Amino acid sequence: MNSGPSQDALFYALCLILPLSALVARRLPIRQVAKMAIAWIAIFALALLLATQRHRVAAAWSSLHEAVFGTNSRVSGRTMRIPMAEDGHFWADVSINGATRRMLIDSGATTTAISASTAAAAGIAVDERGFPEVISTANGAIAALPGVAAQVTIGGITARDLPVIVSPAFGDTNVLGMNFLSQLKAWRVEGRDLVLIPVAG
């Protein structure tokens, strides 16, 4: 059963009230209580921000790490054009380690996301004992595990060692995200075509 916004708010309020009530019960000077209360509120707010925006924080950290230390992933190939589908999105046949799947190209997705069946077909191993990444989708928050695709090919463009996230909750949907697009020399929409230009294009 999914909890509603009011239930979530009540839970968070109780989590905050408990340490604050403990401070009041100690009968400390009001100024000291106020300082400690502000500190607890700040800690709680930071923890709540990290919990609700974990995927964005992880993406920002990944981008910073790549900027400082570089990345093993690389994209090369020839420029290609992808026509817009009838649903208004851009879809393309993509080969992941030799397994071909029709994928949605989504600039709103931080990381390339694939289904568990696609990962299995592509031979991508994930650490099921690892801590899952919680991401927000149109259907709510879901847990996904990280993996790496040795080779992702779309048309004449190939990305190597591309990080992906894997979850059974994706169903049959596979998404090529910004961690692929951001490594291109350029990408843009021209009329009803999506143009992908690799660094070596």
Side-chain angles (χ1 to χ4, degrees):
M1 180 182 297
N2 295 327
S3 61
S6 59
Q7 291 174 306
D8 290 340
L10 179 60
F11 172 75
Y12 296 140
L14 288 174
C15 289
L16 184 58
I17 288 172
L18 287 175
L20 294 181
S21 61
L23 290 177
V24 173
R26 293 176 62 184
R27 300 181 182 279
L28 299 172
I30 189 66
R31 181 173 295 180
Q32 186 176 354
V33 171
K35 288 181 179 179
M36 295 177 73
I38 291 173
W40 272 106
I41 291 172
I43 292 171
F44 179 80
L46 179 60
L48 182 60
L49 177 65
L50 291 176
T52 57
Q53 302 296 323
R54 183 175 181 274
H55 62 292
R56 293 185 180 180
V57 172
W61 172 256
S62 177
S63 297
L64 177 61
H65 186 276
E66 290 181 3
V68 175
F69 299 104
T71 175
N72 291 327
S73 181
R74 55 198 182 278
V75 176
S76 61
R78 302 182 305 277
T79 297
M80 71 173 299
R81 303 177 74 93
I82 301 169
M84 182 183 293
E86 292 183 0
D87 62 4
H89 297 293
F90 295 102
W91 297 82
D93 291 329
V94 181
S95 172
I96 306 174
N97 294 351
T100 301
R101 295 291 186 273
R102 190 156 180 80
M103 297 184 69
L104 171 67
I105 303 174
D106 185 3
S107 61
T110 302
T111 308
T112 295
I114 61 175
S115 65
S117 60
T118 297
I124 296 175
V126 295
D127 184 4
E128 296 183 356
R129 297 169 299 175
F131 192 76
E133 178 178 348
V134 179
I135 61 173
S136 297
T137 70
N139 296 321
I142 62 173
L145 293 170
V148 176
Q151 182 170 303
V152 177
T153 300
I154 172 173
I157 299 175
T158 297
R160 293 178 174 81
D161 301 322
L162 185 71
V164 299
I165 53 174
V166 181
S167 175
F170 296 148
D172 294 328
T173 302
N174 299 284
V175 177
L176 198 62
M178 275 301 298
N179 68 325
F180 172 86
L181 296 175
S182 62
Q183 295 185 63
L184 299 173
K185 179 179 181 180
W187 63 273
R188 60 180 180 269
V189 176
E190 291 184 355
R192 294 180 58 83
D193 288 346
L194 174 63
V195 183
L196 306 180
I197 306 173
V199 174

